[in-house]
Amino acid sequence: MNSNGSNIIKIAVVGPESTGKSTMSAYLAKYYHTVWVPEYAREYCEKLTAPCTFQDEINMFYGQLELEKQYLPRANKLLICDTTFITIKIWSDQMFGHAPQGVLNELPNHTYDLYLLLDIDMPWQDDPLRDFPDMREHFMQVWHKELQELNANYVVISGLGDDRYQKAVAAIDTYLRKKANN
């Protein structure tokens, strides 16, 4: 059971920029006949008229939590989350040298049952909201570090096209089988 006390299994689709998190989340939600929580930061940042501030990071943290809360009752056994607020910590550390204290306090309390860490083996896709095409390896290492520090249950998903999707499904199915056998 995840940290919110429900019987809904929370699957987090995470990773560096341009690894297909949104596309993967939509695919998994359709495959498992459930809903997926979009990345709050994307919609938030699209509306910004100036560079992102530390306060914006805090706003995105609370927005992501609220969005998950709104989608949870609509989930069908699984809730697929297109990223998590760990992203706020990673971006804040990179851009401002530290993360909001509220994010740091909440990280160990707001866990997911399984994290799918999408690999950087797919081609970079330009997007006005993406900033670091030359730092993908760095951010992949950061994601590993952050997930390990949380003692998170995670699987790296690599490959292209259908192969990538099938590896994600296999990872979730393996998790579900293990959970059913416990």
Side-chain angles (χ1 to χ4, degrees), residues 109-129:
N109 302 321
H110 192 90
T111 59
Y112 299 80
D113 298 286
L114 177 66
Y115 295 79
L116 301 179
L117 175 56
L118 301 189
D119 204 350
I120 56 173
D121 57 345
M122 52 187 308
W124 175 268
Q125 297 290 319
D126 271 335
D127 181 315
L129 297 178

Side-chain angles (χ1 to χ4, degrees), residues 87-108:
T87 302
I88 303 301
K89 179 187 184 308
I90 291 171
W91 283 115
S92 294
D93 285 346
Q94 178 68 32
M95 302 300 288
F96 305 106
H98 67 286
Q101 192 59 50
V103 171
L104 298 176
N105 293 346
E106 189 63 25
L107 275 172

